[in-house]
Amino acid sequence: MHAIIIANGDIPDLQLPLPPHDLLIAADGGVAHALRFGLAPDILIGDLDSIDAGDTERIERAGGQVIRHPADKEETDLELALDHAIEYGAKRITCYGLLGGRWDMTFSNILLLASPKYAGVRLEAAAGGTRIHVLRGGETLELAGRTGDQVSVLSLAGPALGLTYEGLAWPLADADLPFGSPKGMSNRMDQDRAAISLRVGVVLVATRSTAGRI
């Protein structure tokens, strides 16, 4: 099951139609982005402190579900949306609007994707021509793109052990990437398909398409 979440970060434009999906969730103020692009979320969730009352009514008239949480809560609106998607059975989640605006919220959103509670779920974030993937130990990420697409890898939780790259200009075989090291930056695909495997740890894989927005 594939869920799409639209959050309240920067989304200057959005390539439509969206990828095939089973569930569309707006995280609080992300509903304004959804409505701007003519999308009707199945669910609007959050404390709803960043939206117009009219937007809530529009979602309800379209048959969507509005789930309001108290403002004094421990979870961010994105976390609520992620948890709700998983409760619905999502095994793949693509997020839009995670970047931009408040820097603290941007970092929080990225680190949230690396939370251990989301192990077993394929998590991605899209922003213009950049796509962010979370890869965990024991997993392999298959990349489809074109020659020249940029690929960067950053460790998110301690050292990343046993990194192997196939199909990239600078391949690796069972290599280690220290936490905080920029050594995984700015590799590139040298064919239309590539694969990154990780033995231990959690890494962020960012790909940037030479074709523009994805």
Side-chain angles (χ1 to χ4, degrees):
M1 179 182 177
H2 181 202
I4 288 179
I5 294 174
I6 299 181
N8 197 26
D10 290 344
I11 309 180
D13 50 21
L14 185 67
Q15 186 174 6
L16 298 173
L18 293 176
H21 57 278
D22 307 288
L23 184 68
L24 178 61
I25 300 177
D28 205 279
V31 70
H33 293 311
L35 295 173
R36 177 161 57 97
F37 293 111
L39 302 171
D42 301 300
I43 296 170
L44 166 60
I45 192 169
D47 55 24
L48 309 189
D49 65 344
S50 303
I51 69 172
D52 296 328
D55 290 344
T56 303
E57 296 172 359
R58 290 172 67 182
I59 297 303
E60 291 176 328
R61 286 199 303 268
Q65 181 183 10
V66 177
I67 303 174
R68 185 189 296 270
H69 286 256
D72 187 10
K73 62 187 191 313
E74 294 184 358
E75 304 87 351
T76 63
D77 294 320
L78 175 62
E79 186 174 8
L80 292 173
L82 287 167
D83 292 348
H84 207 72
I86 292 171
E87 288 177 10
Y88 265 71
K91 293 300 183 182
R92 177 189 174 196
I93 302 175
T94 302
C95 302
Y96 295 86
L98 263 61
L99 311 181
R102 290 173 48 184
W103 276 101
D104 57 341
M105 191 62 72
T106 294
F107 285 123
S108 172
N109 289 343
I110 292 173
L111 291 175
L112 178 62
L113 299 184
S115 171
K117 72 175 179 176
Y118 300 130
V121 181
R122 179 180 170 190
L123 292 173
E124 304 172 347
T130 298
R131 190 170 291 268
I132 294 170
H133 312 263
V134 174
L135 178 65
R136 302 176 192 274
E139 298 178 345
T140 296
L141 176 66
E142 304 285 345
L143 299 175
R146 60 177 62 192
T147 300
D149 283 0
Q150 187 181 81
V151 180
S152 294
V153 178
L154 294 170
S155 177
L156 291 177
L161 309 179
L163 271 173
T164 297
Y165 300 166
E166 298 178 4
L168 298 184
W170 295 281
L172 290 178
D174 199 33
D176 297 340
L177 179 65
F179 177 72
S181 171
K183 292 183 178 179
M185 295 294 294
S186 301
N187 209 324
R188 65 175 184 269
M189 296 179 66
D190 64 359
Q191 50 189 285
D192 291 343
R193 293 192 173 275
I196 299 177
S197 299
L198 177 65
R199 184 162 44 81
V200 177
V202 182
V203 298
L204 178 149
V205 180
T207 63
R208 182 162 185 83
S209 172
T210 57
R213 296 175 180 84
I214 52 178

